[in-house]
Amino acid sequence: MKKKIVAVVLVIALMACCLAVFASCSKKQTDAEYILGKGTLVCGVTLYEPMNYADDEGEMTGFDTEFAEAVCAKLGIKAKFQVIKWSSKEIELNSKYIDCIWNGFTVNEERKQQVSFTQSYLNNTQCVVIKSSNAANFTNAEACAGMRAAAEAGSAGESAAKGLTAEANVTSVAAQITALTEVTSGTADFAVVDVILANSMVGKGAYSDLQIATGIQLEAEEYAVGFRKGSDMVEKVNKVIDELLADGTLLTIAQKYGVDGQLITK
Amino acid sequence: MSFIEVTKQLLSGFGTTCLLFILTILFALPLGLIICFGSMTRFKPLRYLTRAFVWIIRGTPLMLQLFVVFYVPGMLFDSPIFAQLENGRFIAALIAFVINYGCYFSEIYRGGIESISKGQYEACAVLGMTKTQTFFHVVLPQVVKRIIPPMSNEIITLVKDTSLARVIAVIDIIFAAEMILSLRALLWPLFYAGAFYLVFNGVLTLLFGYVEKRLDYYKV
């Protein structure tokens, strides 16, 4: 019996050794060498207008899509778009299934601990979305106090919502769009979401009864591309963004998708 | 977005759902039997190892297991093994589902096998049957019959559980519906997707009812 136990232990030890060898096999190379070496930049995206979405033929399009393609063309590599779950974006990045998060990614301090951002390219603000029938009650920020709010977990909108009403009144949901659904269904009085998303969603389809509360101004924020923490790709991409800004390519793309008003031209 | 377009997109997601379901069943059924033998073996280290494994798999959320299978190789060993494959995400999901359901099935098998009375084994021994013959010709047919109700339970749960694969961005029918929701602000495709599950499970229920009836020929 003892011999058998020893055998089992040995087998486990052997497997552990194999794993260790397997792990040390991967060569040490910088992130840029890794990405340029394989010739594709895998961008983690979620599909939403006007950033990344499929057109009628099923082709990927949108502001971020064309932007990423333009940057990659300059770097001599191909852009690939991988649909991910937004809540798993950092884990996708760190496990190397995607090389960057390029999907209207808001810069904030917590995220800076996890990812390395490029320069910001688009201004965004959070906005309060309410039922149109309720518009008279939401004329200013004070009106939100004591109301029930919904916002995406971990989003900039969530922290903004907590500033507007008591923390206990804020429901954290899985996606920005779910926050809108909460308002439509009446389980929340208002939602705090990206203005770029809100502009393309409210007033149509399932959200035809919603509108942006125009009297409430929230803090401005910026979108940037997120790479793995400490990646040397940031520098390379920044340089290309500068070039695209200088020759007007980025402005043209922004105009095409109606976000030129928010473009950061420095 | 028209009804036909939505149906088309949901159908392509439903294809993934069905494929994941069928392949999971195909691999998990035999794997369950192997795990079951492991947890019933008289060789103690293997028995404890298998039971500990079953405990971990049944005791942790399937969602976490999907994460571990898909993300951990890339995070700990710097080698995203599923990235090179065309359907890497699907294969990762399949592996997680097969292991998870293999463990659940193994316990159903164990219950079935242990329900066979000792007298039958003794009778087989008297008739001079080998252990293998006893198991495959006498025990297993009765086990199959007895475990059909709990199995059908587990299998119907599996149909719905496949939607969990979307946490690693496998585009199944629910994820397809969610994407329509976030792109077009249409809520109804999500409920429409529910109808697909309902019909599919309806067919499965009828199928299991039929199988149970066909196996009704011997009473134990």
Side-chain angles (χ1 to χ4, degrees):
Chain A
M1 182 51 94
K2 266 201 180 133
K3 265 188 190 163
K4 280 178 180 171
I5 295 173
V6 170
V8 170
V9 171
L10 281 179
V11 167
I12 293 169
L14 189 68
M15 280 177 355
C17 287
C18 285
L19 272 179
V21 170
F22 180 54
S24 59
C25 260
S26 44
K27 292 174 255 75
K28 282 276 161 268
Q29 54 180 359
T30 70
D31 202 38
E33 281 167 5
Y34 165 72
I35 292 167
L36 298 175
K38 67 190 170 95
T40 48
L41 178 74
V42 185
C43 306
V45 301
T46 57
L47 301 185
Y48 78 98
E49 286 182 44
M51 304 313 259
N52 304 86
Y53 58 99
D55 65 12
D56 293 337
E57 276 86 51
E59 287 292 310
M60 281 295 288
T61 182
F63 174 74
D64 272 346
T65 308
E66 287 203 27
F67 184 17
E69 278 167 349
V71 167
C72 285
K74 286 245 181 191
L75 290 169
I77 54 177
K78 270 209 299 226
K80 212 181 129 197
F81 300 94
Q82 173 63 51
V83 173
I84 57 164
K85 277 267 155 187
W86 191 242
S87 52
S88 310
K89 54 192 177 304
E90 287 90 1
I91 197 171
E92 291 269 355
L93 192 64
N94 289 326
S95 57
K96 290 200 166 182
Y97 285 109
I98 59 172
D99 298 315
C100 62
I101 303 165
W102 200 325
N103 189 227
F105 192 31
T106 304
V107 181
N108 67 27
E109 283 310 313
E110 287 102 51
R111 283 176 178 168
K112 277 183 187 166
Q113 315 284 323
Q114 307 290 327
V115 300
S116 289
F117 284 102
T118 61
Q119 56 177 297
S120 302
Y121 59 88
L122 218 56
N123 282 314
N124 177 45
T125 50
Q126 297 294 313
C127 67
V128 172
V129 174
I130 48 166
K131 268 200 173 150
S132 303
S133 56
N134 219 353
N137 298 329
F138 283 92
T139 46
N140 54 43
E142 284 72 44
C144 297
M147 296 289 194
R148 296 163 302 159
E152 183 181 56
S155 72
E158 189 188 33
S159 27
K162 284 175 181 167
L164 287 168
T165 183
E167 211 170 311
N169 287 337
V170 180
T171 307
S172 302
V173 293
Q176 297 204 49
I177 202 80
T178 318
L180 297 184
T181 310
E182 292 265 340
V183 180
T184 317
S185 65
T187 47
D189 299 308
F190 68 93
V192 186
V193 296
D194 289 356
V195 74
I196 291 179
L197 173 108
N199 271 330
S200 69
M201 296 301 283
V202 301
K204 63 181 188 189
Y207 304 113
S208 54
D209 57 340
L210 300 185
Q211 70 166 62
I212 295 171
T214 44
I216 304 169
Q217 296 298 324
L218 294 174
E219 233 172 282
E221 56 189 37
E222 293 169 348
Y223 285 162
V225 187
F227 281 91
R228 273 180 281 276
K229 185 78 183 157
S231 170
D232 51 345
M233 268 308 272
V234 171
E235 207 182 313
K236 290 190 194 303
V237 170
N238 274 341
K239 228 176 95 195
V240 177
I241 296 178
D242 283 335
E243 286 170 32
L244 292 176
L245 279 169
D247 66 12
T249 315
L250 200 49
L251 184 66
T252 319
I253 300 173
Q255 279 164 344
K256 191 171 160 191
Y257 295 99
V259 292
D260 47 313
Q262 282 124 325
L263 194 68
I264 298 172
T265 47
K266 275 196 282 199
Chain B
M1 210 173 178
S2 72
F3 182 74
I4 303 206
E5 263 178 90
V6 170
T7 308
K8 241 167 67 185
Q9 288 203 13
L10 290 189
L11 270 177
S12 90
F14 192 57
T16 309
T17 299
C18 289
L19 198 64
L20 188 56
F21 167 76
I22 291 165
L23 290 178
T24 302
I25 291 287
L26 208 66
F27 292 117
L29 282 176
L31 180 71
L33 202 56
I34 294 168
I35 297 173
C36 168
F37 291 147
S39 62
M40 287 172 70
T41 180
R42 261 177 306 196
F43 176 51
K44 275 190 180 165
L46 182 61
R47 187 166 80 209
Y48 291 139
L49 204 71
T50 317
R51 291 204 173 174
F53 181 71
V54 172
W55 169 62
I56 290 169
I57 297 296
R58 292 202 309 171
T60 55
L62 178 52
M63 197 200 96
L64 265 175
Q65 292 162 19
L66 283 160
F67 267 51
V68 168
V69 170
F70 189 61
Y71 293 120
V72 167
M75 283 195 324
L76 290 190
F77 310 113
D78 208 29
S79 46
I81 44 174
F82 297 104
Q84 285 85 21
L85 303 166
E86 182 69 27
N87 299 315
R89 283 164 197 270
F90 179 82
I91 292 165
L94 181 63
I95 292 171
F97 272 96
V98 167
I99 293 174
N100 186 279
Y101 273 80
C103 284
Y104 278 100
F105 288 166
S106 80
E107 287 296 278
I108 295 178
Y109 284 131
R110 194 166 66 85
I113 292 171
E114 286 178 352
S115 75
I116 305 297
S117 66
K118 221 175 156 190
Q120 295 201 27
Y121 289 95
E122 287 165 358
C124 289
V126 167
L127 289 170
M129 290 172 87
T130 66
K131 271 187 169 176
T132 321
Q133 281 174 328
T134 309
F135 183 76
F136 285 103
H137 293 289
V138 178
V139 178
L140 196 60
Q142 297 178 76
V143 167
V144 168
K145 186 176 133 66
R146 283 188 190 179
I147 64 176
I148 280 182
M151 269 297 183
S152 64
N153 232 349
E154 209 55 55
I155 286 170
I156 283 171
T157 309
L158 171 62
V159 175
K160 294 169 289 172
D161 267 2
T162 51
S163 73
L164 217 53
R166 74 189 193 283
V167 298
I168 53 170
V170 173
I171 302 174
D172 75 321
I173 185 169
I174 292 288
F175 198 14
E178 280 180 343
M179 284 201 286
I180 298 171
L181 172 65
S182 61
L183 266 179
R184 317 271 169 197
L186 294 176
L187 207 51
W188 62 266
L190 207 53
F191 300 106
Y192 181 27
F196 280 80
Y197 285 100
L198 200 58
V199 171
F200 193 74
N201 276 330
V203 173
L204 277 182
T205 308
L206 290 177
L207 189 73
F208 278 117
Y210 172 76
V211 171
E212 250 180 85
K213 231 181 184 165
R214 286 298 303 269
L215 289 176
D216 218 18
Y217 53 85
Y218 56 68
K219 298 263 187 283
V220 190

